Amino acid sequence: MKEARYFFVPDALSAGRLPDEEATHALRVLRLGVGDELFLIDGAGAFHRARVTLTSSKQCFYEVLQTIPQSSPWRGHIHLAMAPTKMMDRVEWMAEKATEIGFDELSFLDCRFSERRVVKTERVEKIVVAAVKQSRKAWLPKVHPMTPFADFVKAERKGAKFIAHCYEEIERTDLFGALLRLAAEEVPEATLLVGPEGDFSIDEVRMAIEQGYVPVSLGDCRLRTETAALSAVMMAQLAFRKATSNK
């Protein structure tokens, strides 16, 4: 039996053909031909079993045979907002692994101590799409452009809001414990802020607290930005999965 092949097609039910990049992979790498079956991920919660009906040198047409709605392995909503690192490969690694673990949104923060002020979200989006296919997720995390820190924290957001920092003079609670308590809600939602290598400025932390963010700790060890961001996502994922298993 051939291994199932997965492709990302946002409008899978109406498109009728694979996007150009996906078609190139299907035809030149996987050598798919008429009659071969494939699975389409729409990024909105469903897989679609399809069959190739026509190919050309650059195009791959299909017909949908079956739509298979998926249930999310976690309840609620996980939104990570982080200051990007100077080296983009570390950000890209984090985005890939966080997608494999499972989260819903990724935002980039322009902070006082940020090492990078510009992020090409198109590149990050491609990495997220590849991770969705590899991990066979039915939902595509949304990637947002760089936003000034003050604009982000002052924007209205649903659910609980947390900011991770290392300032001893500002009391912090344990993030995982807070997420476990949040998971008891019917639809838990969490926004998680992770700062740059030099941390948020203390004024940024105070601003976030004024806007309803809860100051939290990720543990006793100092973590690099991308490790802290991935740890925060993992904690939320574990907490919200636990809530699912207890339903």
Side-chain angles (χ1 to χ4, degrees):
M1 179 182 295
K2 287 186 177 180
E3 179 184 356
R5 306 295 188 180
Y6 285 77
F7 300 87
F8 179 65
V9 187
D11 49 353
L13 285 175
S14 59
R17 69 182 182 90
L18 297 182
D20 291 345
E21 288 189 14
E22 299 284 46
T24 297
H25 184 68
L27 299 172
R28 297 184 181 179
V29 179
L30 300 179
R31 305 283 184 179
L32 296 186
V34 173
D36 286 334
E37 287 196 359
L38 59 159
F39 284 87
L40 313 177
I41 299 173
D42 63 13
F47 294 154
H48 306 274
R49 186 169 64 89
R51 178 170 54 217
V52 177
T53 57
L54 179 67
T55 65
S56 66
S57 60
K58 296 183 179 180
Q59 294 184 319
C60 182
F61 294 85
Y62 64 81
E63 62 175 347
V64 173
L65 305 175
Q66 180 185 14
T67 295
I68 312 168
Q70 302 295 298
S71 58
S72 176
W74 68 95
R75 295 191 304 124
H77 195 89
I78 303 170
H79 185 171
L80 171 68
M82 66 174 290
T85 58
K86 184 177 182 179
M87 303 298 292
M88 270 306 294
D89 60 340
R90 290 162 56 190
V91 176
E92 293 168 358
W93 174 86
M94 190 288 306
E96 177 185 69
K97 301 311 173 188
T99 302
E100 292 176 9
I101 291 169
F103 73 145
D104 300 283
E105 292 186 67
L106 172 61
S107 293
F108 295 106
L109 303 175
D110 185 0
C111 306
R112 180 179 176 185
F113 300 139
S114 289
E115 299 175 293
R116 172 177 288 274
R117 305 290 179 181
V118 177
V119 171
K120 295 181 179 180
T121 54
E122 297 84 359
R123 166 72 179 169
V124 179
E125 287 169 346
K126 288 182 179 181
I127 289 170
V128 167
V129 167
V132 162
K133 293 190 294 183
Q134 189 278 330
S135 58
R136 298 184 181 180
K137 296 272 192 315
W139 282 266
L140 179 73
K142 188 172 183 179
V143 179
H144 300 282
M146 181 84 83
T147 304
F149 178 85
D151 291 350
F152 188 91
V153 298
K154 291 178 180 179
E156 184 176 348
R157 302 189 185 282
K158 295 181 180 179
K161 302 180 292 185
F162 303 99
I163 180 168
H165 70 86
C166 298
Y167 293 100
E168 296 296 337
E169 60 267 44
I170 298 179
E171 186 177 356
R172 296 168 293 164
T173 188
D174 173 68
L175 176 59
F176 189 53
L179 289 167
L180 284 175
R181 292 188 291 274
L182 177 63
E185 296 186 4
E186 185 63 28
V187 183
E189 297 186 58
T191 299
L192 315 166
L193 305 190
V194 173
E197 293 293 338
D199 206 344
F200 296 111
S201 72
I202 196 164
D203 289 337
E204 288 173 331
V205 175
R206 288 170 175 158
M207 179 191 300
I209 293 172
E210 290 174 357
Q211 297 299 322
Y213 283 80
V214 176
V216 294
S217 168
L218 298 176
D220 296 331
C221 299
R222 288 271 181 138
L223 303 175
R224 300 186 75 165
T225 296
E226 71 276 14
T227 311
L230 191 60
S231 295
V233 170
M234 188 74 247
M235 290 178 191
Q237 177 64 231
L238 287 173
F240 292 0
R241 278 177 177 264
K242 184 178 179 64
T244 302
S245 65
N246 287 340
K247 290 293 286 183

mmCIF file of all heavy atoms in Angstrom, residues 206-247:
data_model
loop_
_atom_site.group_PDB
_atom_site.id
_atom_site.type_symbol
_atom_site.label_atom_id
_atom_site.label_comp_id
_atom_site.label_asym_id
_atom_site.label_seq_id
_atom_site.Cartn_x
_atom_site.Cartn_y
_atom_site.Cartn_z
ATOM 1 N N ARG A 206 5.528 46.237 33.125
ATOM 2 C CA ARG A 206 4.531 46.985 33.892
ATOM 3 C C ARG A 206 3.372 47.424 33.016
ATOM 4 O O ARG A 206 2.217 47.419 33.444
ATOM 5 C CB ARG A 206 5.198 48.186 34.563
ATOM 6 C CG ARG A 206 6.105 47.774 35.737
ATOM 7 C CD ARG A 206 6.951 48.917 36.242
ATOM 8 N NE ARG A 206 7.707 48.523 37.438
ATOM 9 C CZ ARG A 206 8.805 49.130 37.857
ATOM 10 N NH1 ARG A 206 9.305 50.166 37.166
ATOM 11 N NH2 ARG A 206 9.424 48.706 38.944
ATOM 12 N N MET A 207 3.664 47.818 31.785
ATOM 13 C CA MET A 207 2.597 48.191 30.853
ATOM 14 C C MET A 207 1.665 47.012 30.594
ATOM 15 O O MET A 207 0.440 47.158 30.595
ATOM 16 C CB MET A 207 3.195 48.679 29.523
ATOM 17 C CG MET A 207 2.152 49.073 28.484
ATOM 18 S SD MET A 207 2.870 49.338 26.834
ATOM 19 C CE MET A 207 4.014 50.674 27.184
ATOM 20 N N ALA A 208 2.262 45.838 30.360
ATOM 21 C CA ALA A 208 1.451 44.644 30.110
ATOM 22 C C ALA A 208 0.570 44.313 31.316
ATOM 23 O O ALA A 208 -0.611 43.962 31.160
ATOM 24 C CB ALA A 208 2.353 43.464 29.769
ATOM 25 N N ILE A 209 1.134 44.428 32.517
ATOM 26 C CA ILE A 209 0.356 44.148 33.729
ATOM 27 C C ILE A 209 -0.824 45.104 33.834
ATOM 28 O O ILE A 209 -1.950 44.704 34.190
ATOM 29 C CB ILE A 209 1.261 44.232 34.978
ATOM 30 C CG1 ILE A 209 2.286 43.095 34.961
ATOM 31 C CG2 ILE A 209 0.424 44.169 36.260
ATOM 32 C CD1 ILE A 209 3.344 43.210 36.040
ATOM 33 N N GLU A 210 -0.597 46.377 33.500
ATOM 34 C CA GLU A 210 -1.677 47.363 33.513
ATOM 35 C C GLU A 210 -2.787 46.995 32.529
ATOM 36 O O GLU A 210 -3.955 47.338 32.736
ATOM 37 C CB GLU A 210 -1.125 48.744 33.175
ATOM 38 C CG GLU A 210 -0.253 49.349 34.265
ATOM 39 C CD GLU A 210 0.384 50.658 33.822
ATOM 40 O OE1 GLU A 210 0.177 51.051 32.642
ATOM 41 O OE2 GLU A 210 1.078 51.277 34.635
ATOM 42 N N GLN A 211 -2.424 46.275 31.467
ATOM 43 C CA GLN A 211 -3.397 45.862 30.446
ATOM 44 C C GLN A 211 -3.990 44.488 30.736
ATOM 45 O O GLN A 211 -4.671 43.921 29.883
ATOM 46 C CB GLN A 211 -2.738 45.867 29.074
ATOM 47 C CG GLN A 211 -2.259 47.238 28.619
ATOM 48 C CD GLN A 211 -3.377 48.252 28.505
ATOM 49 O OE1 GLN A 211 -4.491 47.933 28.084
ATOM 50 N NE2 GLN A 211 -3.096 49.485 28.913
ATOM 51 N N GLY A 212 -3.749 43.952 31.924
ATOM 52 C CA GLY A 212 -4.375 42.692 32.316
ATOM 53 C C GLY A 212 -3.543 41.442 32.125
ATOM 54 O O GLY A 212 -4.035 40.332 32.334
ATOM 55 N N TYR A 213 -2.272 41.589 31.739
ATOM 56 C CA TYR A 213 -1.405 40.427 31.585
ATOM 57 C C TYR A 213 -0.889 39.978 32.950
ATOM 58 O O TYR A 213 -0.535 40.800 33.800
ATOM 59 C CB TYR A 213 -0.225 40.744 30.665
ATOM 60 C CG TYR A 213 -0.596 40.758 29.203
ATOM 61 C CD1 TYR A 213 -1.225 41.874 28.642
ATOM 62 C CD2 TYR A 213 -0.339 39.662 28.383
ATOM 63 C CE1 TYR A 213 -1.585 41.896 27.297
ATOM 64 C CE2 TYR A 213 -0.693 39.674 27.044
ATOM 65 C CZ TYR A 213 -1.321 40.792 26.508
ATOM 66 O OH TYR A 213 -1.685 40.805 25.171
ATOM 67 N N VAL A 214 -0.840 38.682 33.149
ATOM 68 C CA VAL A 214 -0.352 38.102 34.396
ATOM 69 C C VAL A 214 1.133 37.787 34.239
ATOM 70 O O VAL A 214 1.516 37.061 33.310
ATOM 71 C CB VAL A 214 -1.129 36.822 34.745
ATOM 72 C CG1 VAL A 214 -0.558 36.169 36.000
ATOM 73 C CG2 VAL A 214 -2.615 37.122 34.915
ATOM 74 N N PRO A 215 2.012 38.302 35.115
ATOM 75 C CA PRO A 215 3.440 37.983 35.025
ATOM 76 C C PRO A 215 3.701 36.539 35.452
ATOM 77 O O PRO A 215 3.199 36.106 36.493
ATOM 78 C CB PRO A 215 4.083 38.981 35.987
ATOM 79 C CG PRO A 215 3.009 39.349 36.944
ATOM 80 C CD PRO A 215 1.713 39.266 36.186
ATOM 81 N N VAL A 216 4.454 35.809 34.642
ATOM 82 C CA VAL A 216 4.672 34.380 34.909
ATOM 83 C C VAL A 216 6.128 34.000 34.744
ATOM 84 O O VAL A 216 6.923 34.698 34.112
ATOM 85 C CB VAL A 216 3.816 33.491 33.973
ATOM 86 C CG1 VAL A 216 2.332 33.666 34.255
ATOM 87 C CG2 VAL A 216 4.135 33.768 32.508
ATOM 88 N N SER A 217 6.455 32.848 35.330
ATOM 89 C CA SER A 217 7.776 32.238 35.207
ATOM 90 C C SER A 217 7.654 30.945 34.418
ATOM 91 O O SER A 217 6.654 30.227 34.532
ATOM 92 C CB SER A 217 8.337 31.941 36.590
ATOM 93 O OG SER A 217 9.479 31.105 36.508
ATOM 94 N N LEU A 218 8.673 30.652 33.623
ATOM 95 C CA LEU A 218 8.713 29.398 32.860
ATOM 96 C C LEU A 218 9.558 28.336 33.561
ATOM 97 O O LEU A 218 9.812 27.279 33.002
ATOM 98 C CB LEU A 218 9.268 29.651 31.460
ATOM 99 C CG LEU A 218 8.464 30.607 30.574
ATOM 100 C CD1 LEU A 218 9.191 30.840 29.258
ATOM 101 C CD2 LEU A 218 7.067 30.082 30.328
ATOM 102 N N GLY A 219 9.992 28.637 34.779
ATOM 103 C CA GLY A 219 10.826 27.684 35.511
ATOM 104 C C GLY A 219 12.042 28.361 36.109
ATOM 105 O O GLY A 219 12.205 29.585 36.025
ATOM 106 N N ASP A 220 12.911 27.576 36.718
ATOM 107 C CA ASP A 220 14.070 28.109 37.421
ATOM 108 C C ASP A 220 15.240 28.457 36.510
ATOM 109 O O ASP A 220 16.132 29.209 36.898
ATOM 110 C CB ASP A 220 14.548 27.099 38.478
ATOM 111 C CG ASP A 220 13.510 26.863 39.564
ATOM 112 O OD1 ASP A 220 12.718 27.800 39.826
ATOM 113 O OD2 ASP A 220 13.481 25.760 40.123
ATOM 114 N N CYS A 221 15.273 27.893 35.309
ATOM 115 C CA CYS A 221 16.410 28.098 34.411
ATOM 116 C C CYS A 221 16.168 29.255 33.452
ATOM 117 O O CYS A 221 15.038 29.509 33.036
ATOM 118 C CB CYS A 221 16.687 26.827 33.609
ATOM 119 S SG CYS A 221 17.116 25.398 34.624
ATOM 120 N N ARG A 222 17.240 29.948 33.095
ATOM 121 C CA ARG A 222 17.167 30.971 32.057
ATOM 122 C C ARG A 222 17.140 30.283 30.694
ATOM 123 O O ARG A 222 17.987 29.437 30.404
ATOM 124 C CB ARG A 222 18.384 31.892 32.135
ATOM 125 C CG ARG A 222 18.373 32.834 33.339
ATOM 126 C CD ARG A 222 17.657 34.124 32.999
ATOM 127 N NE ARG A 222 17.655 35.044 34.118
ATOM 128 C CZ ARG A 222 17.864 36.344 34.005
ATOM 129 N NH1 ARG A 222 18.119 36.862 32.824
ATOM 130 N NH2 ARG A 222 17.792 37.136 35.056
ATOM 131 N N LEU A 223 16.186 30.662 29.867
ATOM 132 C CA LEU A 223 16.027 30.020 28.567
ATOM 133 C C LEU A 223 16.275 31.024 27.448
ATOM 134 O O LEU A 223 15.962 32.210 27.583
ATOM 135 C CB LEU A 223 14.615 29.448 28.424
ATOM 136 C CG LEU A 223 14.156 28.452 29.487
ATOM 137 C CD1 LEU A 223 12.693 28.077 29.258
ATOM 138 C CD2 LEU A 223 15.031 27.211 29.481
ATOM 139 N N ARG A 224 16.791 30.555 26.339
ATOM 140 C CA ARG A 224 16.897 31.397 25.157
ATOM 141 C C ARG A 224 15.489 31.658 24.633
ATOM 142 O O ARG A 224 14.542 30.916 24.922
ATOM 143 C CB ARG A 224 17.762 30.725 24.097
ATOM 144 C CG ARG A 224 19.179 30.449 24.575
ATOM 145 C CD ARG A 224 20.051 29.907 23.468
ATOM 146 N NE ARG A 224 20.441 30.953 22.522
ATOM 147 C CZ ARG A 224 21.428 30.811 21.643
ATOM 148 N NH1 ARG A 224 22.114 29.672 21.586
ATOM 149 N NH2 ARG A 224 21.740 31.792 20.825
ATOM 150 N N THR A 225 15.374 32.727 23.846
ATOM 151 C CA THR A 225 14.053 33.169 23.409
ATOM 152 C C THR A 225 13.249 32.057 22.748
ATOM 153 O O THR A 225 12.083 31.806 23.094
ATOM 154 C CB THR A 225 14.173 34.357 22.439
ATOM 155 O OG1 THR A 225 14.739 35.466 23.138
ATOM 156 C CG2 THR A 225 12.812 34.757 21.886
ATOM 157 N N GLU A 226 13.853 31.376 21.766
ATOM 158 C CA GLU A 226 13.085 30.358 21.038
ATOM 159 C C GLU A 226 12.755 29.161 21.923
ATOM 160 O O GLU A 226 11.699 28.523 21.760
ATOM 161 C CB GLU A 226 13.838 29.912 19.772
ATOM 162 C CG GLU A 226 15.080 29.063 20.011
ATOM 163 C CD GLU A 226 16.333 29.845 20.319
ATOM 164 O OE1 GLU A 226 16.241 31.061 20.614
ATOM 165 O OE2 GLU A 226 17.424 29.236 20.263
ATOM 166 N N THR A 227 13.618 28.853 22.900
ATOM 167 C CA THR A 227 13.341 27.757 23.826
ATOM 168 C C THR A 227 12.206 28.136 24.769
ATOM 169 O O THR A 227 11.322 27.326 25.056
ATOM 170 C CB THR A 227 14.597 27.408 24.639
ATOM 171 O OG1 THR A 227 15.706 27.252 23.759
ATOM 172 C CG2 THR A 227 14.391 26.132 25.429
ATOM 173 N N ALA A 228 12.236 29.382 25.251
ATOM 174 C CA ALA A 228 11.167 29.869 26.125
ATOM 175 C C ALA A 228 9.826 29.860 25.394
ATOM 176 O O ALA A 228 8.799 29.449 25.950
ATOM 177 C CB ALA A 228 11.499 31.272 26.609
ATOM 178 N N ALA A 229 9.841 30.307 24.136
ATOM 179 C CA ALA A 229 8.598 30.342 23.359
ATOM 180 C C ALA A 229 8.039 28.936 23.163
ATOM 181 O O ALA A 229 6.833 28.698 23.336
ATOM 182 C CB ALA A 229 8.857 31.001 22.005
ATOM 183 N N LEU A 230 8.902 27.994 22.811
ATOM 184 C CA LEU A 230 8.455 26.619 22.599
ATOM 185 C C LEU A 230 7.977 25.998 23.910
ATOM 186 O O LEU A 230 6.989 25.257 23.927
ATOM 187 C CB LEU A 230 9.583 25.794 21.994
ATOM 188 C CG LEU A 230 9.199 24.407 21.465
ATOM 189 C CD1 LEU A 230 8.158 24.512 20.364
ATOM 190 C CD2 LEU A 230 10.431 23.682 20.942
ATOM 191 N N SER A 231 8.656 26.305 25.005
ATOM 192 C CA SER A 231 8.238 25.784 26.309
ATOM 193 C C SER A 231 6.856 26.290 26.676
ATOM 194 O O SER A 231 6.019 25.542 27.197
ATOM 195 C CB SER A 231 9.250 26.198 27.388
ATOM 196 O OG SER A 231 10.501 25.608 27.167
ATOM 197 N N ALA A 232 6.590 27.570 26.411
ATOM 198 C CA ALA A 232 5.280 28.139 26.719
ATOM 199 C C ALA A 232 4.173 27.449 25.921
ATOM 200 O O ALA A 232 3.106 27.126 26.451
ATOM 201 C CB ALA A 232 5.288 29.639 26.438
ATOM 202 N N VAL A 233 4.440 27.209 24.637
ATOM 203 C CA VAL A 233 3.458 26.505 23.802
ATOM 204 C C VAL A 233 3.238 25.085 24.312
ATOM 205 O O VAL A 233 2.095 24.597 24.397
ATOM 206 C CB VAL A 233 3.916 26.479 22.328
ATOM 207 C CG1 VAL A 233 3.034 25.537 21.500
ATOM 208 C CG2 VAL A 233 3.880 27.885 21.746
ATOM 209 N N MET A 234 4.324 24.409 24.674
ATOM 210 C CA MET A 234 4.213 23.042 25.170
ATOM 211 C C MET A 234 3.394 22.983 26.459
ATOM 212 O O MET A 234 2.559 22.096 26.641
ATOM 213 C CB MET A 234 5.615 22.479 25.415
ATOM 214 C CG MET A 234 5.642 20.989 25.750
ATOM 215 S SD MET A 234 5.344 19.934 24.321
ATOM 216 C CE MET A 234 3.765 19.220 24.731
ATOM 217 N N MET A 235 3.609 23.944 27.354
ATOM 218 C CA MET A 235 2.842 23.980 28.596
ATOM 219 C C MET A 235 1.348 24.170 28.316
ATOM 220 O O MET A 235 0.499 23.495 28.902
ATOM 221 C CB MET A 235 3.351 25.109 29.491
ATOM 222 C CG MET A 235 4.723 24.876 30.087
ATOM 223 S SD MET A 235 5.247 26.294 31.090
ATOM 224 C CE MET A 235 6.977 25.886 31.362
ATOM 225 N N ALA A 236 1.033 25.095 27.411
ATOM 226 C CA ALA A 236 -0.366 25.325 27.066
ATOM 227 C C ALA A 236 -0.977 24.092 26.415
ATOM 228 O O ALA A 236 -2.120 23.699 26.714
ATOM 229 C CB ALA A 236 -0.489 26.531 26.140
ATOM 230 N N GLN A 237 -0.220 23.470 25.527
ATOM 231 C CA GLN A 237 -0.705 22.272 24.849
ATOM 232 C C GLN A 237 -0.995 21.156 25.848
ATOM 233 O O GLN A 237 -2.043 20.494 25.802
ATOM 234 C CB GLN A 237 0.342 21.837 23.830
ATOM 235 C CG GLN A 237 0.044 20.566 23.091
ATOM 236 C CD GLN A 237 -1.181 20.640 22.217
ATOM 237 O OE1 GLN A 237 -2.032 19.771 22.311
ATOM 238 N NE2 GLN A 237 -1.294 21.649 21.376
ATOM 239 N N LEU A 238 -0.076 20.910 26.777
ATOM 240 C CA LEU A 238 -0.265 19.864 27.780
ATOM 241 C C LEU A 238 -1.457 20.175 28.672
ATOM 242 O O LEU A 238 -2.261 19.291 28.990
ATOM 243 C CB LEU A 238 1.001 19.710 28.627
ATOM 244 C CG LEU A 238 2.201 19.039 27.948
ATOM 245 C CD1 LEU A 238 3.424 19.113 28.854
ATOM 246 C CD2 LEU A 238 1.884 17.593 27.597
ATOM 247 N N ALA A 239 -1.578 21.424 29.083
ATOM 248 C CA ALA A 239 -2.693 21.804 29.954
ATOM 249 C C ALA A 239 -4.022 21.642 29.242
ATOM 250 O O ALA A 239 -4.979 21.088 29.800
ATOM 251 C CB ALA A 239 -2.515 23.245 30.425
ATOM 252 N N PHE A 240 -4.100 22.085 28.003
ATOM 253 C CA PHE A 240 -5.367 22.024 27.282
ATOM 254 C C PHE A 240 -5.678 20.610 26.803
ATOM 255 O O PHE A 240 -6.829 20.232 26.661
ATOM 256 C CB PHE A 240 -5.352 23.006 26.110
ATOM 257 C CG PHE A 240 -5.353 24.453 26.539
ATOM 258 C CD1 PHE A 240 -5.371 24.811 27.873
ATOM 259 C CD2 PHE A 240 -5.318 25.471 25.600
ATOM 260 C CE1 PHE A 240 -5.367 26.141 28.284
ATOM 261 C CE2 PHE A 240 -5.315 26.805 25.973
ATOM 262 C CZ PHE A 240 -5.338 27.129 27.323
ATOM 263 N N ARG A 241 -4.660 19.802 26.554
ATOM 264 C CA ARG A 241 -4.898 18.390 26.239
ATOM 265 C C ARG A 241 -5.418 17.661 27.473
ATOM 266 O O ARG A 241 -6.296 16.809 27.374
ATOM 267 C CB ARG A 241 -3.609 17.723 25.756
ATOM 268 C CG ARG A 241 -3.278 17.940 24.304
ATOM 269 C CD ARG A 241 -1.967 17.301 23.933
ATOM 270 N NE ARG A 241 -1.670 17.451 22.527
ATOM 271 C CZ ARG A 241 -1.928 16.546 21.597
ATOM 272 N NH1 ARG A 241 -2.506 15.400 21.937
ATOM 273 N NH2 ARG A 241 -1.627 16.740 20.340
ATOM 274 N N LYS A 242 -4.882 17.974 28.623
ATOM 275 C CA LYS A 242 -5.337 17.348 29.859
ATOM 276 C C LYS A 242 -6.818 17.645 30.067
ATOM 277 O O LYS A 242 -7.583 16.782 30.463
ATOM 278 C CB LYS A 242 -4.524 17.869 31.048
ATOM 279 C CG LYS A 242 -4.858 17.211 32.383
ATOM 280 C CD LYS A 242 -3.958 17.764 33.481
ATOM 281 C CE LYS A 242 -4.280 17.136 34.823
ATOM 282 N NZ LYS A 242 -4.019 15.693 34.854
ATOM 283 N N ALA A 243 -7.210 18.873 29.762
ATOM 284 C CA ALA A 243 -8.617 19.222 29.891
ATOM 285 C C ALA A 243 -9.473 18.370 28.965
ATOM 286 O O ALA A 243 -10.552 17.928 29.320
ATOM 287 C CB ALA A 243 -8.823 20.710 29.561
ATOM 288 N N THR A 244 -8.958 18.110 27.742
ATOM 289 C CA THR A 244 -9.698 17.286 26.797
ATOM 290 C C THR A 244 -9.887 15.872 27.312
ATOM 291 O O THR A 244 -10.971 15.290 27.246
ATOM 292 C CB THR A 244 -8.948 17.249 25.435
ATOM 293 O OG1 THR A 244 -8.789 18.566 24.945
ATOM 294 C CG2 THR A 244 -9.716 16.425 24.428
ATOM 295 N N SER A 245 -8.819 15.293 27.869
ATOM 296 C CA SER A 245 -8.906 13.901 28.323
ATOM 297 C C SER A 245 -9.814 13.753 29.539
ATOM 298 O O SER A 245 -10.316 12.672 29.811
ATOM 299 C CB SER A 245 -7.496 13.399 28.680
ATOM 300 O OG SER A 245 -6.967 14.102 29.790
ATOM 301 N N ASN A 246 -10.019 14.863 30.268
ATOM 302 C CA ASN A 246 -10.863 14.792 31.458
ATOM 303 C C ASN A 246 -12.334 15.090 31.163
ATOM 304 O O ASN A 246 -13.160 15.048 32.066
ATOM 305 C CB ASN A 246 -10.366 15.784 32.529
ATOM 306 C CG ASN A 246 -9.074 15.303 33.163
ATOM 307 O OD1 ASN A 246 -8.747 14.126 33.089
ATOM 308 N ND2 ASN A 246 -8.347 16.214 33.802
ATOM 309 N N LYS A 247 -12.654 15.428 29.908
ATOM 310 C CA LYS A 247 -14.043 15.753 29.567
ATOM 311 C C LYS A 247 -14.915 14.525 29.639
ATOM 312 O O LYS A 247 -14.486 13.435 29.293
ATOM 313 C CB LYS A 247 -14.090 16.374 28.176
ATOM 314 C CG LYS A 247 -13.485 17.765 28.108
ATOM 315 C CD LYS A 247 -14.285 18.794 28.883
ATOM 316 C CE LYS A 247 -15.567 19.134 28.128
ATOM 317 N NZ LYS A 247 -16.345 20.156 28.790
#
